[in-house]
Amino acid sequence: MIVGSHSRKKPCTRQIVRWITEQATVLDDGVALLDGFCKALRDQALPLWRMSVVTNALDLSVRGFSFDWHSDRGASLASASYGAEDFDAFERSPLHALLADGRTFARWRLGDDLNAASAVPELLDLRAEGGTDYVLHLIWFAPGTALKGVAISFATDAPSGFSNDDMAVLDEVLPALGLAICKLSLSRTLQEALATYLGSETSTRVLEGNIRRGEGKTVAAAILLADFRGFTTLTDQDDPVKVVGWLDEHFDAIGEPVTRCGGEILKFMGDGFLAIFPVSDPKNQPCATCGVALDAADWALASNRALNERRRQAGLPQLEVHLALHFGQVVYGNVGTSRRLDFTVIGRAVNEASRIEELCDDAGRPVLVSDTFAERCARPLQLVGTFALRGLERRQQIWAPADDSVNCR
């Protein structure tokens, strides 16, 4: 709780600014920050009725976020998708009107007679609910990222609207609030961007400070290697942009089963990817993680076949996928040049998984399993044969799933 004299504006705003700074320093919780901030303003007799903080996002699934506070129910977080419905809502908003006019500040006294034909639709809705005054500030962030800035709005239902003293208080606390929102937005963007390009587990390790070349640890893992067949030929026959779009559809088809089953896609390699399922207790057999990894492969294969059938019916090219499963010790960490690193897994087991995938054509099987993986997996498997893996001296028995069961959904 922030306390202060109702009759002295300066001490009040200083305490609020200090509280904002402290909260933004130790927390990444925008809802808690906004809720406490609005309650503090109310405690200082400012007639706040609604407040909203809107910022864009660097996120695959959403265009932006809105932290909304209502005096009767507190703060909440909402997201805006890339869909037409959310864009239509944006066009009805005061922010759209402010941006269209090229301004950074606007105030609408909702108690006045607004021209219904030209007024902002969202403001008409607010007035119908009892709002009397609406203030909107746009704070631009430093250039260089997709985070352009933040829009902060205040509304009241007090009969006379915001007083001059109220406006002065808001002006004083606004810079600190904008800076706090900038920090929260950058923090979320950093986490989301790293997770998008590195994967959730790997991004966590990087954010924890594991960024030096040579840093890493040896882990036991089930390894899944996926590769689409015929992609190179397809790129020579059709528009490259279309082909990349088709490849993304196939990556969705096989990638979702892997992540839904607990796997981590570490890197995309042209028309394939490398994923791991870390094994916490490698001495425990049968290995539940290996069973889950095989379930993920079955599901991915079934999903890709379903996509190919839809594409065949639409008269579009199809891509078949080959999957290899292996188990072994890998080094999970940083490798690369002094200034350009890749956080991935390396080791003999990764190379062996690649060699096993190369056998899919000769074996006539879309999914192949190493002998090391097979002996740890409780699922029924069929022996395909004994093969010499390219570049490796020891011949290995190679297996394939005995059924098409899928257990991860």
Side-chain angles (χ1 to χ4, degrees):
M1 180 66 67
I2 306 170
V3 296
S5 170
H6 293 281
S7 61
R8 298 178 61 200
K9 176 169 65 71
K10 290 293 184 181
C12 161
T13 55
R14 281 201 298 267
Q15 290 181 57
I16 294 176
V17 167
R18 180 175 179 178
W19 182 86
I20 292 171
T21 305
E22 290 173 347
Q23 294 299 303
T25 301
V26 300
L27 296 177
D28 275 336
D29 188 342
V31 172
L33 175 70
L34 187 60
D35 199 48
F37 171 74
C38 292
K39 289 178 179 178
L41 291 177
R42 294 271 294 187
D43 287 344
Q44 303 302 328
L46 194 143
L48 190 61
W49 175 57
R50 303 266 180 95
M51 182 189 170
S52 180
V53 174
V54 177
T55 183
N56 64 329
L58 187 60
D59 192 289
L60 290 176
S61 56
V62 297
R63 188 183 57 202
F65 296 96
S66 173
F67 295 95
D68 300 308
W69 182 88
H70 291 211
S71 59
D72 58 345
R73 60 177 183 266
S76 62
L77 172 65
S79 60
S81 70
Y82 290 101
E85 182 177 345
D86 281 328
F87 186 76
D88 289 343
F90 169 67
E91 289 189 319
R92 290 170 44 87
S93 70
L95 176 56
H96 182 268
L98 189 69
L99 291 171
D101 289 342
R103 293 182 292 164
T104 58
F105 171 79
R107 181 180 185 182
W108 290 268
R109 294 185 179 276
L110 305 181
D112 298 339
D113 289 331
L114 296 178
N115 187 333
S118 60
V120 180
E122 190 175 293
L123 293 179
L124 297 179
D125 296 339
L126 282 175
R127 185 174 68 166
E129 295 175 30
T132 59
D133 204 351
Y134 184 90
V135 177
L136 176 61
H137 293 266
L138 182 58
I139 301 175
W140 292 111
F141 295 159
T145 74
L147 298 178
K148 303 302 183 183
V150 58
I152 303 176
S153 66
F154 305 91
T156 183
D157 58 354
S160 58
F162 289 120
S163 68
N164 291 337
D165 284 346
D166 295 333
M167 296 294 291
V169 169
L170 296 179
D171 286 343
E172 269 198 63
V173 299
L174 196 65
L177 182 63
L179 188 60
I181 298 300
C182 180
K183 181 263 181 183
L184 296 178
S185 299
L186 287 174
S187 177
R188 180 183 176 86
T189 297
L190 180 61
Q191 295 172 20
E192 290 294 330
L194 283 177
T196 296
Y197 284 93
L198 301 179
S200 58
E201 176 64 25
T202 302
S203 65
T204 298
R205 291 177 179 271
V206 170
L207 289 174
E208 288 175 347
N210 297 312
I211 61 171
R212 291 178 59 84
R213 185 171 59 169
E215 283 187 343
K217 66 177 183 178
T218 301
V219 298
I223 302 166
L224 186 148
L225 193 73
D227 185 62
F228 288 107
R229 315 307 296 170
F231 177 74
T232 302
T233 302
L234 188 59
T235 58
D236 293 335
Q237 297 174 348
D238 220 311
D239 176 49
V241 175
K242 288 184 179 179
V243 172
V244 171
W246 295 336
L247 180 62
D248 286 340
E249 291 181 8
H250 285 275
F251 275 140
D252 277 340
I254 68 171
E256 182 181 358
V258 171
T259 55
R260 288 277 294 275
C261 288
E264 176 100 353
I265 298 175
L266 296 179
K267 63 167 60 180
F268 291 90
M269 303 172 294
D271 55 356
F273 66 66
L274 170 66
I276 63 168
F277 297 76
V279 176
S280 58
D281 187 3
K283 295 181 179 179
N284 187 32
Q285 294 194 41
C287 175
T289 302
C290 288
V292 169
L294 186 52
D295 289 341
D298 284 344
W299 183 5
L301 184 62
S303 180
N304 193 68
R305 284 173 173 168
L307 173 60
N308 275 334
E309 178 58 24
R310 294 193 298 272
R311 295 179 60 77
R312 184 191 66 78
Q313 294 178 5
L316 296 173
Q318 300 101 58
L319 289 174
E320 301 296 335
V321 67
H322 287 171
L323 302 165
L325 289 160
H326 190 30
F327 173 84
Q329 300 285 330
V330 294
V331 177
Y332 184 30
N334 291 291
V335 61
T337 70
S338 61
R339 297 298 300 173
R340 176 64 176 87
L341 299 176
D342 189 11
F343 203 115
T344 185
V345 290
I346 57 174
R348 179 186 177 92
V350 178
N351 296 333
E352 290 175 341
S354 177
R355 303 297 183 262
I356 293 169
E357 184 276 322
E358 293 172 356
L359 298 174
C360 286
D361 275 330
D362 293 339
R365 297 289 191 121
V367 180
L368 291 180
V369 175
S370 73
D371 200 39
T372 308
F373 187 100
E375 69 183 14
R376 302 178 57 82
C377 182
R379 282 269 304 278
L381 299 168
Q382 294 177 343
L383 180 63
V384 175
T386 302
F387 297 83
L389 302 183
R390 182 172 61 86
L392 302 175
E393 296 181 0
R394 183 173 66 88
R395 293 172 64 84
Q396 292 191 25
Q397 288 185 319
I398 301 299
W399 304 75
D403 56 59
D404 294 324
S405 61
V406 177
N407 300 319
C408 273
R409 295 186 221 194

